[in-house]
Amino acid sequence: SSMVSCRIGTNNLQAGVKAAEAALAVGEDELYIGIVNYDVNSANGQQRELGFRQTVEQDPRVKDITTINVLSTTEDARAGAKEMLLSDSRINVVVTFNEWTSLGVGWAIRDLDRGDRTQVVAFDSNVVSVGMLETGEVDALIVQNPYAMGYLGVETAFQLINGTRKIENSIETECRRLCAVQFADQIALFAGCGVLVQQVLGSGLVDLLAGKLHSLGLVLSVGINSGICLLDGGLEGGVAG
């Protein structure tokens, strides 16, 4: 649209590549991949799938890729994922590309008791999806950076209003891969002492970390500048920038 001065958000093609890297980390000799994507008319979902396909199709272990498109709701994704898995027992990797389809796929894996034999790569840091990293329904999450989007949005709007510098048409924010082993390692690390973490990856992850750390006698404090400070007992600490 000509009304938009700048788009700030995730590089969806690259996010799909990260999802592919997570899927290919599986140690299986043959990969049968099931994709649960949302609305076929959604540019975000299609770009993520394109980046994913372009990457996995280069790996000779990938024998087949099945794609279904569902409504962007938990229940529709749940039903679609179950039907897909039941129709092809060979599928050993499932990938999905947004928060709500991630929840649906996770519930489908739990319904079918497929956590031990299906690698699931999902998106975003909904607290339920993060919890599924621990319980085994999800093996990796591609986590976006909503804080950076908001921060850069306000900063860019201020610059546009005041004409302080030339604004780019697009500003891309980073996404990261979070797996169950990394999450467990973070909990173990935090249990030892008060530490600083440089970036909040999403409210779901922060909420779950806070609960886990509380059980270990630690307090999680999220600062206004997106740092996290863990206070061990009476230990004083600053907030990371």
Side-chain angles (χ1 to χ4, degrees):
S1 169
S2 60
M3 298 293 292
V4 177
S5 299
C6 179
R7 175 196 174 274
I8 299 171
T10 299
N11 180 325
N12 290 301
L13 199 68
Q14 189 59 36
V17 171
K18 286 187 177 291
E21 292 169 349
L24 295 175
V26 180
E28 301 289 340
D29 294 331
E30 295 185 344
L31 301 180
Y32 292 86
I33 299 174
I35 297 174
V36 180
N37 206 343
Y38 50 106
D39 187 356
V40 70
N41 296 311
S42 165
N44 288 355
Q46 294 305 303
Q47 288 172 5
R48 291 171 188 178
E49 182 173 339
L50 177 61
F52 178 84
R53 281 181 171 273
Q54 288 177 338
T55 304
V56 299
E57 287 172 355
Q58 299 177 44
D59 193 313
R61 294 178 300 155
V62 177
K63 304 303 180 183
D64 187 61
I65 302 175
T66 300
T67 297
I68 63 170
N69 288 94
V70 299
L71 297 177
S72 187
T73 67
T74 298
E75 285 308 312
D76 206 53
R78 185 179 193 169
K82 287 172 68 173
E83 182 179 351
M84 180 184 71
L85 289 166
L86 290 171
S87 66
D88 188 349
S89 61
R90 300 174 302 168
I91 294 175
N92 54 7
V93 177
V94 178
V95 180
T96 189
F97 296 118
N98 80 0
E99 178 177 358
W100 307 115
T101 57
S102 294
L103 290 171
V105 167
W107 287 119
I109 294 295
R110 182 173 295 182
D111 292 342
L112 299 175
D113 194 23
R114 290 279 297 259
D116 291 338
R117 54 195 178 100
T118 308
Q119 179 86 1
V120 174
V121 180
F123 260 72
D124 292 330
S125 55
N126 183 290
V127 65
V128 176
S129 294
V130 175
M132 287 179 176
L133 281 174
E134 287 194 291
T135 52
E137 292 83 11
V138 173
D139 298 280
L141 287 170
I142 307 304
V143 183
Q144 300 183 80
N145 193 338
Y147 180 88
M149 295 179 199
Y151 184 95
L152 290 170
V154 173
E155 181 182 57
T156 303
F158 177 83
Q159 291 167 344
L160 280 168
I161 292 169
N162 291 278
T164 53
R165 72 177 177 88
K166 180 177 173 59
I167 302 299
E168 301 174 20
N169 293 330
S170 178
I171 299 175
E172 295 175 349
T173 56
E174 184 183 15
C175 60
R176 296 184 179 183
R177 182 176 73 181
L178 177 69
C179 67
V181 173
Q182 291 170 322
F183 185 73
D185 287 346
Q186 287 176 326
I187 293 294
L189 174 64
F190 293 159
C193 62
V195 297
L196 296 178
V197 180
Q198 296 298 318
Q199 188 175 36
V200 175
L201 296 180
S203 60
L205 176 57
V206 172
D207 290 345
L208 190 59
L209 279 173
K212 290 291 181 183
L213 293 166
H214 179 73
S215 69
L216 297 170
L218 295 170
V219 177
L220 177 66
S221 174
V222 181
I224 194 168
N225 64 344
S226 186
I228 301 178
C229 180
L230 294 173
L231 304 181
D232 187 359
L235 178 68
E236 296 296 332
V239 179

